Amino acid sequence: MALIPRLDIAALDAQLVDPLTKGLPFNAPALRLGDIGAQGWNVLEGDVPMPVAVIRQARVEANSAWMAAFTQGNGLVIAPHGKTTMAPYLFDLQIADGAWAITVATVQQMQVCRHFGVCRVLMANQPIGQQAVNACFAALADREFELYCLVDGEEGLRQLAEGAGRAQPPAGNPLRVLVEVGFPGGRTGARTPETALALARKIAATEGLALAGFECFEGLLPAPEAVDELLDVVADLTRQAIAEGLLPSSGPVIISAGGSAFFDRVGERFNAHDFPAPVLRVLRSGCYLTHDCMGYAAAFERICQQTRLTLPPGGLVPALEVWAQVQSVPEARRALLSMGKRDVGFDAGLPIPQYWYRPGSAMEEPQPIPPGYKTAALNDQHCHLELPQGSELQVGDLVGFGIGHPCTTFDRWSLLLAVDEDYNVLKAVKTFF
Amino acid sequence: MALIPRLDIAALDAQLVDPLTKGLPFNAPALRLGDIGAQGWNVLEGDVPMPVAVIRQARVEANSAWMAAFTQGNGLVIAPHGKTTMAPYLFDLQIADGAWAITVATVQQMQVCRHFGVCRVLMANQPIGQQAVNACFAALADREFELYCLVDGEEGLRQLAEGAGRAQPPAGNPLRVLVEVGFPGGRTGARTPETALALARKIAATEGLALAGFECFEGLLPAPEAVDELLDVVADLTRQAIAEGLLPSSGPVIISAGGSAFFDRVGERFNAHDFPAPVLRVLRSGCYLTHDCMGYAAAFERICQQTRLTLPPGGLVPALEVWAQVQSVPEARRALLSMGKRDVGFDAGLPIPQYWYRPGSAMEEPQPIPPGYKTAALNDQHCHLELPQGSELQVGDLVGFGIGHPCTTFDRWSLLLAVDEDYNVLKAVKTFF
């Protein structure tokens, strides 16, 4: 398995930041991204406006290292889903820790990867339409760039075959195609093993395309048992396709699954199968990097309790927080904070108040917020916080919130701030949504 | 009432667009914003990737003109809420149609306004923290710039008073302060008329601040009757403050309310009161500009049926659409489209499929989608669409979706495309979230 080189972070560091960007101090001069860490800002001391999205750098690095150890220790590789963060700085961390590729959902996301030097992309989607198909083949003209994408049906394959005919990708750099295997009521993906295998045969016979393997997205399934079944279908199809000689000997054979909530099942089931050729077992998890304190936290707890795989010491910890300031305490049991739907995800649960800090007070560091505080509602720009009886929360206090589903908090920010454990700003993490 | 000058759109036109921006063609060269309309792109003909957020220019202009006529015909002025779109191109349209000011929710939004030349801003929030307070007073050093903000409590007032002491705003350009009146269980706002009036007296006595009037946000109230009560409190307080001589004769006296869903009530109740001095009745509605086809459509229907105000001919029409492409039809009754939570709001209802177009077919224009199509779910990057029996929807077809709550669709895009009625791209509308 070839590692991929790290990214052109110097080009990113050199980008000028628009001073109008949300999250920057209002009096900030025009700065390059790479200059922000040297400004001496501290999130708790009033140097940056509220709300602000904060990445705890040590925790993100620990999560990245943990997942690297987990995958390496269990016969897996990871192609982290880049759509979660869309942050080349974070892609680079993942690559430094041995990511096999970066996964994306769209052509725009692939272009961001290419721009900053990701040389292997797994597009976990079927490109549709001439715009998208042409862009995929145009990317292959760079022989250093490898692209994997999905096909789940005849029409998708027809469009790729036509695209290959138009573009004629260079010999040795075909569009690598995984057949997507789905399930009734699910998302994309061929609905039966038979149709998936028929697609694989056609891909293998199409000039400019190379069958690379099979994959599934199991994340919408309700329970581990159903996940196992789907993973076994993917593995069985792969074995059969190898046996039929559909997979070229030139590239690796891939089996892949989403893996954010069920990465244990992916490892266990994929490892349970023997194949007549070397096979790369590719996880595409994106959310592990910042983790969360809701759904993924619960999923990880289940994994820790149930898995028979080897878990490295430590574990995933929440690394993404949104901090907001108390604007008003108009009733004894209700405060309004400067954070709304524009600033934090709410599709997997309202943000959870976790820390409390009073700037300029004797408080040396953020305190765990006492019991009884609860997010009652979010408006576009406000958070309604329920307070326990006798709450001492005051106008001007800062509250740090834990989040669920990192994807829908990252995409609210074009700049997040990476901080050390004292909330000193280490750098600005730019996103490209 | 002084009109405000139009914006520096040339500066915006001159901004270079990052070719990695979502919504741009993948092979687009580096373009200035002002060049995009000349590219000859058509949304339906494959010139731009899917998904794409589309503003129907003629409809937006009609909505802007309708609201101008409505407010002018009913003794109101409008300070449209800029947080909805955060698009200076659209602010400029609203100003051309006579907007009295642009409303914002945050200091970052105020800075965007200032940067492009909005010279009167109503910040419908209480600035908290030295960062925010200092930025407000720093803005006042420009004597051409007028800033109104809210106060709803003692601590907020104390912070503004301290800020005024630090900054010493120039004579003649104080920070203009509206007292926010709230209601039990609501958002920010003084909870009783007595506390509101006490705050008004203190503001009037504070150097560097000027009491400008009273306001409320009625949008979270469930029914018109409760809205009426709150509006009457605002009006009563204003009359009393004028009688007490708290309002300086130098500036206009303001009474203001949100007004998106209840702009009829705001007009009717505010007009029902007589005041001993000239009073500007300021609506802050933001969503009227693109309207929607869910909650605001229903609210507008109620207004049309119930109001005693004069309604101009025509009416508000939905002007914001998100178009997506069918990626897969893996089951007879289910399609997956290239649009997800990243691309469209879902907090006020899932997007509604409305139009259908098949590129390259004999279809000359988008057709109304037949009955039976329904958005079943959104993932981050996918839309699950339920199909009626016998649906002819195919991979590659385009579907145009109507949206609810424009604020949470605008904020998913740094570029939206304004189109004519044939979906030719007229310009790119940049947002600053």
Side-chain angles (χ1 to χ4, degrees):
Chain A
M1 177 199 109
L3 286 180
I4 55 177
R6 293 187 62 177
L7 302 193
D8 186 2
I9 290 306
L12 190 56
D13 281 341
Q15 285 200 1
L16 267 178
V17 183
D18 186 336
L20 298 175
T21 305
K22 184 174 78 164
L24 282 185
F26 304 124
N27 54 0
L31 290 166
R32 294 173 309 151
L33 269 178
D35 296 334
I36 285 180
Q39 302 301 308
W41 297 339
N42 183 287
V43 167
L44 303 175
E45 299 310 331
D47 299 327
V48 299
M50 293 286 145
V52 68
V54 159
I55 295 172
R56 294 178 68 168
Q57 184 68 19
R59 292 179 169 213
V60 156
E61 289 175 5
N63 288 344
S64 185
W66 189 93
M67 186 55 87
F70 169 79
T71 49
Q72 285 156 27
N74 292 288
L76 304 168
V77 299
I78 188 157
H81 212 317
K83 66 135 188 191
T84 297
T85 70
M86 285 310 293
Y89 281 127
L90 297 176
F91 296 172
D92 187 56
L93 169 64
Q94 293 169 310
I95 290 168
D97 278 331
W100 172 74
I102 297 293
T103 297
V104 299
T106 70
V107 174
Q108 179 257 344
Q109 294 173 2
M110 174 190 79
Q111 301 287 60
V112 173
C113 285
R114 286 183 61 212
H115 183 82
F116 292 103
V118 179
C119 70
R120 186 183 291 128
V121 166
L122 194 170
M123 189 185 303
N125 249 326
Q126 174 168 266
I128 292 294
Q130 280 209 20
Q131 269 273 330
V133 170
N134 288 349
C136 290
F137 284 104
L140 297 175
D142 171 6
R143 286 161 184 269
E144 303 297 309
F145 181 74
E146 275 179 32
L147 179 60
Y148 295 76
C149 74
L150 312 188
V151 158
D152 81 340
E154 296 285 342
E155 174 59 18
L157 175 54
R158 194 189 63 74
Q159 293 203 11
L160 289 188
E162 282 190 6
R166 284 194 299 273
Q168 309 223 334
N173 201 20
L175 182 60
R176 292 157 167 90
V177 181
L178 304 172
V179 177
E180 183 167 35
V181 183
F183 54 90
R187 208 157 73 185
T188 48
R191 289 303 193 250
T192 68
E194 293 72 28
T195 52
L197 193 60
L199 275 173
R201 291 181 184 128
K202 288 190 182 170
I203 294 163
T206 302
E207 193 96 19
L209 307 183
L211 181 68
F214 294 81
E215 69 79 50
C216 66
F217 174 64
E218 77 296 348
L220 301 179
L221 284 165
E225 296 71 28
V227 170
D228 285 0
E229 267 183 54
L230 183 63
L231 295 166
D232 286 342
V233 172
V234 168
D236 289 340
L237 282 165
T238 306
R239 195 169 43 247
Q240 200 165 342
I242 295 171
E244 282 195 26
L246 301 179
L247 288 147
S249 54
S250 57
V253 177
I254 308 293
I255 58 176
S256 174
S260 275
F262 294 112
F263 59 77
D264 61 326
R265 305 313 314 153
V266 178
E268 290 188 36
R269 293 317 309 159
F270 280 179
N271 284 338
H273 292 262
D274 287 323
F275 298 97
V279 164
L280 270 186
R281 295 156 169 91
V282 180
L283 277 186
R284 302 194 304 268
S285 175
C287 292
Y288 76 90
L289 188 64
T290 66
H291 204 52
D292 76 0
C293 54
M294 296 189 211
Y296 290 111
F300 187 61
E301 202 172 315
R302 182 197 62 72
I303 289 171
C304 291
Q305 285 164 6
Q306 297 186 349
T307 190
R308 287 166 301 185
L309 298 176
T310 309
L311 295 184
L316 300 178
V317 286
L320 176 58
E321 300 166 359
V322 179
W323 282 77
Q325 193 156 27
V326 178
Q327 280 196 309
S328 180
V329 187
E331 302 178 17
R333 304 293 293 273
R334 174 149 305 208
L336 282 300
L337 282 79
S338 62
M339 172 184 80
K341 294 177 189 172
R342 254 74 191 274
D343 310 306
V344 67
F346 52 89
D347 59 320
L350 292 171
I352 299 175
Q354 295 188 312
Y355 302 103
W356 176 17
Y357 186 75
R358 179 165 298 162
S361 75
M363 228 183 244
E364 286 194 0
E365 55 185 25
Q367 303 298 309
I369 206 161
Y373 290 81
K374 192 185 159 205
T375 303
L378 290 176
N379 299 154
D380 288 352
Q381 312 273 172
H382 293 87
C383 170
H384 298 243
L385 190 67
E386 278 177 23
L387 313 181
Q389 199 152 26
S391 166
E392 294 172 28
L393 198 71
Q394 292 179 4
V395 169
D397 286 359
L398 306 182
V399 177
F401 288 83
I403 58 99
H405 193 190
C407 303
T408 51
T409 289
F410 268 102
D411 66 13
R412 303 296 197 271
W413 297 87
S414 63
L415 275 191
L416 300 92
L417 298 181
V419 300
D420 67 15
E421 289 299 288
D422 296 322
Y423 291 88
N424 295 304
V425 175
L426 301 173
K427 68 178 169 197
V429 176
K430 182 160 167 59
T431 64
F432 290 83
F433 288 102
Chain B
M1 176 200 110
L3 286 180
I4 55 177
R6 294 187 61 177
L7 302 193
D8 185 2
I9 291 306
L12 191 55
D13 281 341
Q15 286 199 1
L16 267 178
V17 183
D18 185 336
L20 298 175
T21 306
K22 184 175 76 163
L24 282 185
F26 304 125
N27 53 0
L31 290 167
R32 294 174 309 152
L33 269 178
D35 296 335
I36 286 181
Q39 302 302 307
W41 298 338
N42 183 286
V43 166
L44 303 176
E45 299 311 330
D47 299 327
V48 299
M50 294 285 145
V52 68
V54 159
I55 296 171
R56 293 177 69 167
Q57 184 67 20
R59 292 180 168 212
V60 157
E61 289 174 5
N63 288 343
S64 185
W66 189 93
M67 186 54 88
F70 169 79
T71 50
Q72 284 156 27
N74 291 288
L76 305 167
V77 299
I78 188 157
H81 212 318
K83 65 136 189 192
T84 298
T85 70
M86 284 310 293
Y89 281 127
L90 297 176
F91 296 171
D92 186 56
L93 169 65
Q94 294 169 310
I95 289 168
D97 278 330
W100 173 75
I102 298 292
T103 297
V104 299
T106 70
V107 174
Q108 179 258 343
Q109 294 174 2
M110 173 190 80
Q111 301 286 60
V112 173
C113 285
R114 287 182 60 213
H115 184 82
F116 292 103
V118 179
C119 70
R120 187 182 291 129
V121 165
L122 195 171
M123 189 184 303
N125 249 325
Q126 174 168 266
I128 292 294
Q130 281 210 19
Q131 269 273 332
V133 170
N134 287 350
C136 290
F137 283 104
L140 297 174
D142 171 6
R143 285 161 184 268
E144 302 298 309
F145 181 74
E146 274 180 33
L147 179 61
Y148 295 76
C149 74
L150 311 188
V151 158
D152 81 342
E154 296 284 342
E155 175 59 18
L157 175 54
R158 194 188 64 73
Q159 294 203 10
L160 288 188
E162 282 190 5
R166 284 193 300 273
Q168 310 223 334
N173 201 20
L175 182 60
R176 292 159 167 89
V177 181
L178 305 172
V179 176
E180 182 166 35
V181 183
F183 54 91
R187 207 156 73 185
T188 49
R191 289 302 193 253
T192 68
E194 293 72 28
T195 53
L197 193 61
L199 275 173
R201 291 182 183 126
K202 288 190 181 169
I203 294 162
T206 301
E207 193 96 20
L209 306 183
L211 181 67
F214 294 82
E215 69 79 52
C216 65
F217 174 64
E218 77 295 348
L220 300 179
L221 284 166
E225 296 71 28
V227 171
D228 286 358
E229 268 184 53
L230 183 63
L231 295 166
D232 285 341
V233 173
V234 169
D236 289 339
L237 281 166
T238 306
R239 194 169 42 246
Q240 199 164 342
I242 296 171
E244 284 195 27
L246 300 179
L247 287 146
S249 54
S250 57
V253 177
I254 308 293
I255 57 175
S256 173
S260 276
F262 294 111
F263 60 77
D264 61 325
R265 305 313 314 154
V266 178
E268 289 189 37
R269 293 317 310 158
F270 279 179
N271 284 337
H273 292 262
D274 287 322
F275 299 97
V279 164
L280 270 186
R281 295 155 169 91
V282 180
L283 277 187
R284 302 194 305 270
S285 175
C287 292
Y288 76 91
L289 189 64
T290 65
H291 204 53
D292 77 359
C293 53
M294 297 189 210
Y296 289 112
F300 187 61
E301 201 172 316
R302 183 198 62 73
I303 289 171
C304 291
Q305 284 164 8
Q306 297 186 350
T307 191
R308 287 165 301 184
L309 298 176
T310 309
L311 296 183
L316 300 178
V317 286
L320 176 58
E321 300 165 0
V322 179
W323 283 76
Q325 192 156 27
V326 178
Q327 279 196 309
S328 179
V329 188
E331 300 178 16
R333 305 292 295 271
R334 175 150 303 210
L336 282 301
L337 282 78
S338 62
M339 172 185 80
K341 294 177 189 172
R342 254 76 189 272
D343 310 305
V344 67
F346 52 89
D347 59 320
L350 292 171
I352 299 176
Q354 295 189 312
Y355 302 103
W356 176 17
Y357 187 75
R358 179 165 297 162
S361 74
M363 229 182 242
E364 286 194 359
E365 55 184 25
Q367 304 297 310
I369 206 161
Y373 289 82
K374 192 186 159 204
T375 302
L378 290 176
N379 300 153
D380 288 351
Q381 312 273 171
H382 293 87
C383 170
H384 299 241
L385 190 67
E386 279 177 21
L387 314 181
Q389 201 153 23
S391 166
E392 293 172 29
L393 199 71
Q394 290 178 5
V395 170
D397 286 358
L398 305 182
V399 177
F401 289 83
I403 58 100
H405 193 190
C407 304
T408 51
T409 289
F410 269 103
D411 67 13
R412 302 297 197 272
W413 297 87
S414 62
L415 276 189
L416 299 92
L417 299 180
V419 300
D420 68 16
E421 290 299 289
D422 296 322
Y423 290 89
N424 295 304
V425 175
L426 301 173
K427 69 179 168 195
V429 176
K430 182 162 166 61
T431 64
F432 291 83
F433 288 102

